[in-house]
Each structure stands twice: as C-alpha cells, then as structure tokens.
Amino acid sequence: YAQPAGQNNARSMPNAAPQAPAPVQTSGPAALAQQLGLSEEQTSQIQQIQEDSAQAVQDIVMDEDLMDARKDLAEEVLDADASEDDIKDKVDEVSDIQEKISFEMAMSRHNAFMVLSQEQQEQFKALLKERMDSVKASMMAAQAPAPEAAPAPAPEDAPAPAPEDAPQGDVPPPAPADQ
C-alpha cells in the first residue's frame, strides 16, 4: 500500500526493523555525481559514455589480442637467442595496444567532462587536484625512510646491565692491587 510522503514503513508496521539511512558515498561515480550536483540527464549521458568506452576497450583488447602480445613478449624475454631488437619489437607491439586503450580511456574522460557545466568542470578540476595531491602525499609518505626505532625495552626479568668497567663474560675480575 502507498504511504504518505515522509512516513516511514517501520513506524506503520510494528514488526518491521527501522531502516538505516542510505550510506553517503565518498568515492566512485555516484559520489562524484552527488558532489558535482549532476542532473539525471548528465548522469545518464556520462553512464552511456562509460559503457561505450568499456566496450571499445574490450574490443581493442580482443581485436589486438593484448594477452597474446604479452605472452609473445614473455617468451621473447626467455629466449636465449633473442636479440635486443627482437625484444624491443615485442615491447612495441604491447605498447601500441596499451596506447590505443589509454587513448580510448582518455577520450571517454574528456567526453564525460564535456557533459559538465562550466561550474561543474571547475568543481571537478578542484576535486581531481585534491585527490591527486592526496595520492602524491601517500606515495611520498610510503617512500620516506622509517624513523629510527628505539631499542626494545629489556624484559623485566633480564639482569641489569653491568657497569662499563665490569668484566665481561668468563673473564675473572682483576686481582686487588697490593698496598
């Protein structure tokens, strides 16, 4: 049965559990659409662009046979008789296919960007810069040398360290000097 606007099913049905509000997305296409305030028409256009691009990439992979090109490269690398030129030719074959894929993906992003209004484009640029800065900061932190670790504390039952002038190991203490 239909409910008046604003009325929650959980209140009208005594045994129904209260429904949690939908989670707020912080990444992905839905979050981006929400952050940029995309209209339904814009969302639909961008979704179509993404679907068309995904199909185009799949067609490139299948038509150009990227997996076979990668396999051929791996075999060439492991061929004792392969020359540097032979290996470079196989690398070029893989690179050509990857370049076509990269171009298709870049054009898809550009076409989606062109669906946005001028204001949304500026918002998108700011979000992209923010994300890139965040990724860069994460990468820099991962590459930074770890701080010197402090020595681990001695267990409570460990003997106290000997004074610096105390004999070490099996060496007997020096004999007292005669007076």
Side-chain angles (χ1 to χ4, degrees):
Y1 58 88
Q3 301 237 346
Q7 191 172 5
N8 187 336
N9 253 354
R11 285 187 293 219
S12 62
M13 298 175 63
N15 294 333
Q19 293 180 354
V24 175
Q25 295 208 349
T26 58
S27 65
L32 187 60
Q34 186 177 17
Q35 289 170 322
L36 297 177
L38 299 184
S39 69
E40 287 183 29
E41 182 180 346
Q42 287 175 308
T43 302
S44 176
Q45 287 177 322
I46 291 172
Q47 185 175 17
Q48 187 62 52
I49 290 167
Q50 291 173 332
E51 289 172 7
D52 292 348
S53 178
Q55 184 60 53
V57 167
Q58 184 65 31
D59 291 346
I60 293 168
V61 169
M62 298 306 287
D63 292 346
E64 302 286 336
D65 218 346
L66 180 59
M67 296 306 292
D68 280 349
R70 286 181 174 162
K71 180 178 156 272
D72 292 347
L73 172 59
E75 289 173 357
E76 198 69 38
V77 166
L78 300 176
D79 183 352
D81 297 326
S83 70
E84 187 174 320
D85 286 339
D86 294 337
I87 293 172
K88 182 168 182 348
D89 289 344
K90 296 297 180 186
V91 167
D92 288 345
E93 287 177 28
V94 171
S95 294
D96 288 346
I97 298 168
Q98 290 175 327
E99 180 181 346
K100 290 176 184 178
I101 292 168
S102 293
F103 179 74
E104 176 59 42
M105 293 171 65
M107 287 307 301
S108 171
R109 289 185 188 111
H110 173 73
N111 292 337
F113 182 75
M114 297 310 296
V115 169
L116 304 178
S117 69
Q118 186 71 31
E119 181 182 335
Q120 290 168 328
Q121 287 178 355
E122 294 305 318
Q123 289 175 320
F124 180 74
K125 287 177 187 179
L127 287 170
L128 187 59
K129 182 182 182 328
E130 205 175 281
R131 287 183 185 170
M132 290 173 72
D133 289 347
S134 175
V135 167
K136 183 177 179 181
S138 295
M139 291 175 69
M140 297 297 284
Q143 291 179 352
E148 289 287 325
E156 291 182 22
D157 60 344
E164 288 183 29
D165 61 346
Q168 301 294 318
D170 295 331
V171 178
D178 290 339
Q179 294 183 343

